[in-house]
Amino acid sequence: MLTLYGTKGSGSAAIEAALVRAGFAYTGVDAASWNPGPGRDALLQVNPLGQIPTLVLADGTVMTESAAILIHLGLCAAPGLLLPQEAGARARALRGLVYIAANCYAAISVIDYPERWCEPCDDEMKARIRAGTRARLHEHWRVFADEFGIGFDAGAPGALELLAVVVSKWSGSRTMLQAERPAFHAQLLRVEQHPDVAPVMQRHWP
């Protein structure tokens, strides 16, 4: 049995969807660094940074970092389900997963906690950091849509599609994509409507 630490509206939604797609049984623990309580206490025992999602494997191995967790699940799932079998397509998916983690996901951390990146940091500075980071985040998504939109498999979503559909929901990225990359935005909506994915998305964003 796997144990997934996460909370509503967080990146754990991508991992939940992957677990459902792969048919892996898991137990969920409602936990987040910003929610005091036993869930957070348990999370800090396995991940000192308190970051979610965190996945604990059956043997006690701790997996952190969304891209790493999805790659691991892709290697354990049925061939071709979460990661493509063909070498070129698989390389592209791995590139895309790390792209989202390094560029888009990282920007969200700055937007959420600008004070961590600036000292001293008053409200005006926080607003400036958020504005600049949000602009950069949206540019990262424009590039992603252009680079990865072709071949994006909305009908049979794998790890890359699942991470993209979740991380793109934050900081106005969907609104920007709908206006500037409507074809890619439509693909994201198709992923959300997949029978395996829709219930997970509904739980996180009712």
Side-chain angles (χ1 to χ4, degrees):
M1 179 68 72
L2 307 173
T3 303
L4 176 63
Y5 295 82
T7 197
K8 287 184 178 180
S10 75
S12 62
I15 310 304
E16 286 185 38
L19 291 168
V20 171
R21 289 276 291 143
F24 294 151
Y26 71 96
T27 297
V29 177
D30 187 11
S33 61
W34 56 89
N35 287 337
R40 184 177 70 173
D41 295 342
L43 170 63
L44 290 171
Q45 291 296 312
V46 295
N47 184 352
L49 290 178
Q51 293 176 338
I52 52 173
T54 291
L55 184 70
V56 180
L57 308 184
D59 66 358
T61 299
V62 177
M63 291 289 302
T64 66
E65 319 312 323
S66 295
I69 295 171
L70 288 167
I71 291 169
H72 172 75
L73 294 177
L75 294 173
C76 294
L81 184 66
L82 295 177
L83 290 175
Q85 286 187 279
E86 193 274 321
R90 185 171 60 250
R92 177 180 172 279
L94 295 177
R95 176 194 170 202
L97 286 167
V98 176
Y99 178 100
I100 292 173
N103 296 296
C104 305
Y105 220 139
I108 298 298
S109 180
V110 179
I111 292 169
D112 286 347
Y113 302 103
E115 65 276 6
R116 294 178 179 177
W117 314 97
C118 178
E119 180 63 39
C121 194
D122 58 22
D123 289 344
E124 181 183 357
M125 182 60 71
K126 288 179 184 179
R128 291 174 60 194
I129 292 172
R130 286 191 173 109
T133 306
R134 186 174 293 107
R136 188 61 183 168
L137 168 66
H138 291 178
E139 177 60 19
H140 288 321
W141 278 116
R142 292 184 192 95
V143 172
F144 185 90
D146 295 342
E147 290 285 311
F148 297 92
I150 298 174
F152 199 80
D153 195 350
L160 179 60
E161 289 80 10
L162 297 176
L163 190 60
V165 84
V166 169
V167 179
S168 65
K169 290 187 75 68
W170 302 326
S171 295
S173 296
R174 285 290 186 90
T175 300
M176 181 279 296
L177 288 168
Q178 184 177 22
E180 300 187 24
R181 300 294 189 276
F184 179 69
H185 182 266
Q187 292 285 69
L188 293 173
L189 296 182
R190 283 191 63 207
V191 174
E192 289 186 347
Q193 294 162 6
H194 187 279
D196 290 339
V197 181
V200 175
M201 299 300 288
Q202 181 60 31
R203 281 198 302 272
H204 280 264
W205 290 277

